[in-house]
Amino acid sequence: MNFISPRETLVKNMEYEVKKGVLRGKLKLVELKTKLKIKIAENAGFCFGVRRAVKLTEKTASKECKVYTLGPVIHNPQEVERLEKKGVKTLKDPKKVKSGSIILRTHGIPFSLYKKLEENKKIDVIDAACPFVKRAQDTVKRLSTDIKSKDKTIIVVGEKVHPEVIALVSYGNGKCVVVENVKAARKFKGGGDLNIVSQTTQTPENFNSIVKVLKKRYKTKVYNTICRATLDRQKVAEKLANNVDLMIVIGGKNSGNTTRLAQICSAKTKTYHIETADSVKEKWFKNIDSVGLTAGASTPDWIIKEIEVKIRELAAKVSS
């Protein structure tokens, strides 16, 4: 993690940019006379899959005039709004698209819808699904068609209403059952052996707890499809939360992986889950010596930077 000097001077009257001019703003000269230490998790913000999806979307928008995504391409409202200003339209109903390019979101889409879009020769389908999500989909599809697994139920550990889980289930040929937590695992009743997979952004604790409960009653085979980057992010966030007075978790309220980061940090220290700098409150930093920042996999650098600047300004006021 990066340790940032609490007396760092912000540059006056300078336009600063993060990620190709996404963030632009004018900062006054501020000498931060405060003892507050700001510690930023080293892997906060965009993961590989999200960065890839955003680049694909920007590249397509620079070449095409009709560019659409089915649902938000990533779970960050502010970044989606930025992309919309570049001409990328977010749609719920693909039937409204007669021509142009459709970008498939990082979370994936149901298998039947994917096939229909591919069959439409007037639409250019660009698959921006995260490679780790694709791996999970391939695992579910293989388990649902494998002759050795034909009588096995596929347990998907995850959130029933999350787009990624909805897509995962669609690859299971009717063999999937979603289990969200230990309580649901205890209530589950099945008639045969189980294959168990996971939503890519689940916590290992929830996944392993559910597996433990199901193993007591069923013969199981476990496929851990949790994303490695998600695991690393969670571990770093937990370690950071153990060493600061306050944690701020940055990311969309609709982001599953960000919500789980907030849950992990909340178990260790006082934590706020916010989307933008406008949500930061001066009162948070009274009698606080250190604050940790982490961010979900869909949170762009420019939002993290804005929030960092806001914290410095407010902390300086508290100390003055």
Side-chain angles (χ1 to χ4, degrees):
M1 61 191 69
N2 299 321
F3 292 84
I4 300 172
S5 168
R7 297 183 63 82
E8 179 180 350
T9 300
L10 301 178
V11 183
K12 78 173 177 180
N13 297 329
M14 177 181 288
E15 276 204 342
Y16 57 88
E17 297 186 3
V18 176
K19 296 299 176 188
K20 298 181 181 178
V22 170
L23 171 62
R24 291 189 178 90
K26 298 227 177 190
L27 300 179
K28 296 178 181 179
L29 181 63
V30 179
E31 178 68 26
L32 296 182
K33 296 179 180 179
T34 173
K35 294 181 180 179
L36 182 71
K37 293 181 180 178
I38 302 176
K39 304 177 183 181
I40 304 178
E42 61 182 337
N43 57 353
F46 278 1
C47 66
F48 161 76
V50 169
R51 196 177 301 281
R52 171 180 171 273
V54 170
K55 284 184 177 180
L56 277 173
T57 304
E58 289 181 324
K59 183 178 179 181
T60 305
S62 69
K63 297 179 179 180
E64 305 283 345
C65 59
K66 293 181 180 180
V67 181
Y68 309 90
T69 65
L70 292 182
V73 67
I74 62 173
H75 275 169
N76 185 275
Q78 294 74 34
E79 182 69 359
V80 169
E81 182 180 357
R82 184 187 72 82
L83 291 171
E84 286 177 347
K85 290 178 181 178
K86 290 181 175 287
V88 180
K89 296 181 180 180
T90 303
L91 297 177
K92 290 184 178 180
D93 185 4
K95 293 179 182 178
K96 294 182 179 181
V97 181
K98 304 301 180 183
S99 61
S101 297
I102 288 186
I103 299 170
L104 307 186
R105 60 192 174 197
T106 52
H107 306 99
I109 63 172
F111 180 69
S112 59
L113 179 56
Y114 186 92
K115 298 304 290 183
K116 284 183 180 179
L117 290 174
E118 277 195 325
E119 291 169 1
N120 190 331
K121 302 304 180 183
K122 294 182 179 179
I123 297 175
D124 184 20
V125 178
I126 300 169
D127 194 349
C130 170
F132 289 103
V133 171
K134 295 288 285 185
R135 182 190 67 171
Q137 290 174 347
D138 291 342
T139 299
V140 171
K141 186 176 181 180
R142 176 173 57 80
L143 292 174
S144 70
T145 55
D146 185 0
I147 190 67
K148 295 180 181 179
S149 299
K150 66 177 182 178
D151 297 323
K152 294 183 180 181
T153 298
I154 302 171
I155 298 294
V156 178
V157 176
E159 303 155 88
K160 289 182 180 180
V161 298
H162 194 282
E164 181 191 331
V165 175
I166 292 171
L168 274 178
V169 170
S170 74
Y171 282 80
N173 291 316
K175 295 181 179 180
C176 291
V177 175
V178 179
V179 175
E180 294 188 325
N181 48 47
V182 167
K183 184 178 179 180
R186 288 175 180 146
K187 289 183 177 179
F188 172 76
K189 294 180 180 179
D193 298 340
L194 306 178
N195 284 315
I196 306 177
V197 301
S198 179
Q199 179 182 0
T200 60
T201 56
Q202 281 290 300
T203 63
E205 290 77 14
N206 190 50
F207 181 71
N208 293 333
S209 295
I210 289 171
V211 169
K212 185 177 179 180
V213 168
L214 294 174
K215 274 189 171 182
K216 290 179 180 179
R217 293 185 290 136
Y218 300 94
K219 184 178 179 181
T220 64
K221 191 160 185 181
V222 179
Y223 300 83
N224 189 338
T225 50
I226 297 176
C227 167
R228 184 73 238 179
T230 295
L231 288 174
D232 291 343
R233 189 182 305 267
Q234 290 171 354
K235 289 178 181 177
V236 170
E238 183 175 25
K239 184 177 180 180
L240 180 56
N242 273 321
N243 291 282
V244 294
D245 301 320
L246 172 69
M247 279 294 296
I248 294 179
V249 179
I250 308 164
K253 294 296 179 68
N254 60 339
S255 166
N257 79 88
T258 308
T259 298
R260 275 178 279 285
L261 284 176
Q263 292 168 347
I264 290 168
C265 293
S266 294
K268 303 299 178 181
T269 191
K270 181 70 176 179
T271 300
Y272 294 101
H273 176 181
I274 63 174
E275 290 189 352
T276 65
D278 291 338
S279 299
V280 182
K281 307 298 181 186
E282 183 178 327
K283 63 182 180 181
W284 294 353
F285 309 106
K286 291 181 180 179
N287 302 316
I288 293 294
D289 294 324
S290 59
V291 58
L293 297 185
T294 190
S298 297
T299 307
D301 293 345
W302 62 270
I303 290 181
I304 299 172
K305 185 64 179 177
E306 281 187 340
I307 289 173
E308 179 194 348
V309 170
K310 184 67 173 289
I311 290 171
R312 293 180 182 282
E313 291 175 343
L314 294 180
K317 288 182 181 180
V318 170
S319 299
S320 62

